Amino acid sequence: MKFIHAADIHLDSPLTGLSAYPDAPVEMLRTATRDAFTKLVSEAVEQQVDFMVIAGDLYDGTWKDHNTGIYFCKEMGRLKRAGIPVYLLFGNHDAESEMTKKLQLPDNVFTFDARKPTTFQLEGLKVALHGRSFKDKETVENLASGYPAPVPGVFNIGVLHTALEGSSAHANYAPCSLDELHAKGYQYWALGHVHEHQIWQGAATVVFPGNLQGRHIRETGPRGAVLVTVEDAEIAGIARLFVDVLRWYSLDVDVAGCNALAEVVVAIGQALEAVLADTPATIPAVIRVNVIGKTQAHGELFGLEGQLRAEVLALAAAIGAERIWIEKVKVNTAAVDDGAVLRARADALADLQDLFAAAETDPDFLKGLQEELLGLVNKAPLELQTAVPYFKDIRSGDLMGLVQDVRPGLVAHLAQAE
């Protein structure tokens, strides 16, 4: 017996983070979640699986129109023609309270009730699936505790949308413990809600397949579902099915050995080529470049993130215009000199460094700086209000961290210019 376990598909959820890139793959961003799901359905048909389980968050909230539901019905029709039933559980993003638009689903789709746990028995396969959908988005009760006892003599699957213990990155919906799931007596737990792939072995096999398609820079690396093979009521194998159509990467480039901007650009180019070498040619890569390390180039890089980004965009276009897009370039380098060399010079730069150091704790200077910067902050466009972390500090008057961060870069930049 084989089945596919998927979750967190988020159909028609927008992909974010590339709007400022002039050659962004707009159409691919718009249809990525659908394209990934279409690939999953094709895998199910090709693998001739016995059924599919979707453990919540099929949708991304209330539909904007009926096209989302029509698309899903079309894909379910493909599975119906292949004789593949689907067992669908609704999670927090597609709870009944959010599903204001509904369409009649094909008769090969079976949904878990939101009022009480539902059990579906597949007599020919000797399988029982137990699950309960979310009725409300803010479901914080322990749903697993109400699941029924396992059906004797069959392979029992628990389907649950849950934060599980320790998943602090996700809202604490339907919380339960791993020990509780192992003690239930089921052979497999098909979980959803946590977007990272995770698996635990024990009295039961507990699996988060991860979400089907990365949607932003916090969802990096390969994404997809899992293919579970069962023999003699025992799990024989769990294989990941990667169906994402666009892949996100956060790329750290250590430029400690670089002495100038040109060398930094070369180092980034080499790192980008390495990413492409490890990425299938059919899957475009969206990359955030994080430039790190103590480097002699720190002063030259200071305040030049815009220029560096332009250099990186040119690199990306040359390396693979259709295979790589740059989400952002962030400079987090540090000066090699901790200030001792400059202090020993006893010149204007040394005086400037001492002045900055004193300014960090000078309340009058910090207040005057806040007044100067508030005008800039208040006039900044909306997208910068959340993108620039210092804006919050400027409003609150806590500018010590800002001065501390700027001092080494500015001094190093002036020293290099001199």
Side-chain angles (χ1 to χ4, degrees):
M1 177 188 75
K2 292 189 295 186
F3 67 92
I4 283 177
H5 164 204
D8 302 288
I9 295 157
H10 294 277
L11 280 180
D12 291 343
S13 171
L15 273 63
T16 58
L18 279 171
S19 58
Y21 188 36
D23 295 321
V26 176
E27 184 62 22
M28 184 174 290
L29 292 172
R30 189 178 65 82
T31 64
T33 53
R34 287 194 187 192
D35 294 342
F37 189 65
T38 295
K39 285 180 65 175
L40 181 69
V41 171
S42 296
E43 283 279 358
V45 174
E46 182 178 335
Q47 297 277 355
Q48 297 181 320
V49 300
D50 293 285
F51 58 91
M52 180 186 290
V53 176
I54 300 176
D57 285 359
L58 166 65
Y59 303 118
D60 196 51
T62 304
W63 307 342
K64 293 182 176 65
D65 54 49
H66 280 90
N67 287 326
T68 303
I70 292 170
Y71 161 78
F72 179 66
C73 288
K74 176 177 72 95
E75 294 302 317
M76 294 301 96
R78 289 177 61 202
L79 292 179
K80 179 179 179 179
R81 291 188 291 275
I84 301 173
V86 178
Y87 296 89
L88 172 62
L89 181 141
F90 291 126
N92 56 291
H93 276 274
D94 41 27
E96 284 190 2
S97 59
E98 294 237 349
M99 297 303 297
T100 57
K101 298 182 176 71
K102 286 189 177 183
L103 296 172
Q104 186 69 40
L105 295 173
D107 59 11
N108 65 319
V109 180
F110 303 90
T111 59
F112 292 96
D113 199 299
R115 295 165 296 180
K116 63 183 189 313
T118 307
T119 297
F120 294 107
Q121 287 196 245
L122 288 66
E123 299 294 346
L125 296 173
K126 293 187 177 180
V127 171
L129 295 103
H130 316 276
R132 181 180 171 185
S133 291
F134 279 33
K135 181 173 179 58
D136 300 299
K137 178 179 180 179
E138 305 293 337
T139 297
V140 294
E141 64 178 295
N142 184 336
L143 298 182
S145 63
Y147 278 35
V151 177
V154 304
F155 188 83
N156 287 267
I157 301 173
V159 187
L160 178 66
H161 201 74
T162 177
L164 202 58
E165 58 184 357
S167 299
S168 58
H170 296 268
N172 195 30
Y173 295 142
C176 63
S177 71
L178 194 58
D179 289 342
E180 183 179 1
L181 299 186
H182 283 308
K184 198 70 181 183
Y186 299 169
Q187 284 75 32
Y188 185 90
W189 279 95
L191 304 186
H193 185 53
V194 175
H195 287 191
E196 298 301 321
H197 172 73
Q198 298 178 63
I199 182 169
W200 296 269
Q201 302 283 3
T205 298
V206 182
V207 178
F208 281 112
N211 59 337
L212 215 59
Q213 169 62 56
R215 299 170 300 155
H216 45 69
I217 195 60
R218 294 186 302 280
E219 296 178 348
T220 57
R223 301 278 157 167
V226 294
L227 175 67
V228 184
T229 305
V230 178
E231 295 178 2
D232 299 324
E234 297 285 340
I235 294 177
I238 300 175
R240 295 191 71 183
L241 295 174
F242 297 124
V243 297
D244 50 345
V245 297
L246 183 146
R247 198 162 290 174
W248 300 77
Y249 294 92
S250 182
L251 177 65
D252 289 340
V253 182
D254 192 334
V255 296
C258 298
N259 296 310
L261 174 63
E263 294 178 22
V264 170
V265 172
V266 171
I268 293 172
Q270 292 170 345
L272 292 177
E273 288 177 342
V275 170
L276 283 193
D278 291 335
T279 304
T282 56
I283 301 179
V286 181
I287 302 176
R288 172 178 291 183
V289 178
N290 304 300
V291 186
I292 61 173
K294 283 190 173 184
T295 173
Q296 296 287 356
H298 178 67
E300 191 173 352
L301 293 173
F302 178 75
L304 294 180
E305 287 195 21
Q307 180 181 336
L308 183 60
R309 183 174 187 274
E311 297 276 6
V312 175
L313 290 179
L315 276 175
I319 293 170
E322 299 301 321
R323 291 193 58 200
I324 185 170
W325 288 279
I326 303 302
E327 183 261 357
K328 187 177 291 185
V329 178
K330 300 189 72 175
V331 178
N332 293 302
T333 56
V336 174
D337 176 25
D338 62 1
V341 174
L342 280 176
R343 280 193 292 273
R345 290 171 47 152
D347 60 6
L349 276 178
D351 293 340
L352 179 63
Q353 180 172 258
D354 292 340
L355 180 63
F356 265 115
E360 293 171 11
T361 56
D362 184 333
D364 293 333
F365 172 81
L366 294 177
K367 181 174 177 57
L369 181 62
Q370 180 194 24
E371 292 173 354
E372 293 287 343
L373 293 176
L374 274 176
L376 172 66
V377 170
N378 293 333
K379 293 177 182 177
L382 182 61
E383 59 266 25
L384 287 180
Q385 297 295 332
T386 55
V388 180
Y390 293 120
F391 279 14
K392 182 179 179 182
D393 295 336
I394 292 169
R395 289 196 183 91
S396 67
D398 184 13
L399 272 70
M400 183 184 295
L402 171 60
V403 177
Q404 287 175 337
D405 290 346
V406 166
R407 174 169 58 88
L410 178 57
V411 174
H413 177 70
L414 293 173
Q416 191 165 38
E418 182 190 58

